[in-house]
């Protein structure tokens, strides 16, 4: 196995380092292909096509979103570039990063390595804009509850690979609920 990590400044790199600690000298953030040095890009499986036995951390949500590239474009008119290049997700301690439901892969919120992500909106904008408030405020915020056009139960947030927070999700002993971000504000 040849371990890689995304380039410096990547959120995926920072999260991975904070999760598993420091890396030894055999872990690098660049590789050579075709005589040219390349940085390992976050959530991009290119290194796995260029270096035999390469392994690199990838966001499960990003991988899922990329796996649904054509579907997302069809449902939402949004282009999500598929940069997996054959990279596959691995299990940790026997727990898979995705689960199947109704023939579709979703983020497994029981996976032992999870990263909470937040939408950052200035508090002043949230309080002065009914549109932003409808999107992000409280457990009824549309960012968490909107469904795919033509469906009544397929959440947009899970279409793009993120977890459904309905009922709360506990990550590293903190339970998150839709709209909780308003309680984390500092401005």
């Amino acid at each position: 196995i040849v371990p890689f990590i995304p380039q410096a400044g990547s959120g995926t790199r920072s999260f991975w380092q904070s999760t598993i600690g420091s890396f030894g000298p055999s872990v690098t953030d660049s590789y050579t292909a075709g005589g040219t040095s390349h940085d390992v890009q976050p959530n991009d499986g290119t290194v796995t096509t260029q270096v035999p036995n390469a392994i690199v951390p990838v966001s499960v949500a990003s991988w899922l979103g990329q796996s649904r590239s054509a579907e997302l474009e069809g449902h939402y008119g949004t282009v999500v570039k598929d940069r997996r290049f054959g990279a596959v997700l691995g299990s940790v301690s026997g727990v898979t990063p995705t689960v199947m439901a109704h023939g579709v892969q979703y983020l497994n919120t029981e996976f032992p390595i999870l990263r909470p992500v937040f939408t950052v909106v200035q508090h002043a904008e949230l309080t002065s804009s009914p549109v932003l408030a409808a999107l992000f405020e409280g457990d009824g915020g549309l960012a968490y509850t909107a469904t795919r056009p033509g469906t009544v139960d397929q959440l947009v947030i899970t279409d793009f690979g993120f977890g459904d927070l309905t009922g709360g999700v506990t990550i590293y002993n903190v339970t998150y609920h839709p709209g909780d971000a308003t309680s984390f504000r500092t401005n």
Side-chain angles (χ1 to χ4, degrees):
I1 294 176
V2 182
F4 288 91
I5 186 126
Q7 66 187 13
S10 160
T12 300
R13 177 189 178 120
S14 299
F15 170 73
W16 196 250
Q17 285 178 315
S18 70
T19 301
I20 66 168
S22 64
F23 300 105
S26 64
V27 178
T28 183
D29 60 6
S30 64
Y31 61 97
T32 301
T36 305
S37 179
H38 303 273
D39 289 334
V40 176
Q41 298 298 315
N43 306 312
D44 185 323
T46 302
V47 67
T48 64
T49 67
Q50 301 297 314
V51 178
N53 301 315
I55 186 170
V56 63
V58 173
S59 160
V60 178
S62 182
W63 189 92
L64 283 168
Q66 290 177 42
S67 76
R68 298 181 180 136
S69 180
E71 181 182 337
L72 294 174
E73 186 171 2
H75 291 307
Y76 304 105
T78 300
V79 175
V80 175
K81 187 174 181 182
D82 187 353
R83 300 175 295 141
R84 295 172 302 148
F85 302 111
V88 295
L89 299 175
S91 298
V92 172
S93 300
V95 180
T96 60
T98 62
V99 293
M100 292 292 286
H102 312 291
V104 178
Q105 281 187 309
Y106 293 96
L107 175 74
N108 181 359
T109 57
E110 300 298 318
F111 191 61
I113 301 174
L114 293 173
R115 177 182 176 195
V117 293
F118 302 93
T119 302
V120 178
V121 180
Q122 287 186 349
H123 186 256
E125 290 182 23
L126 188 65
T127 57
S128 67
S129 170
V131 172
L132 286 177
L135 285 171
F136 300 111
E137 202 160 51
D139 62 359
L142 291 173
Y144 323 109
T145 61
T147 57
R148 179 191 310 153
T151 71
V152 295
D153 61 355
Q154 182 57 49
L155 294 175
V156 172
I157 196 167
T158 59
D159 269 355
F160 282 86
F162 294 95
D164 175 3
L165 294 176
T166 304
V169 173
T170 301
I171 302 173
Y172 306 116
N173 298 319
V174 176
T175 301
Y176 299 94
H177 297 276
D180 272 353
T182 56
S183 65
F184 296 113
R185 67 177 173 246
T186 60
N187 61 344

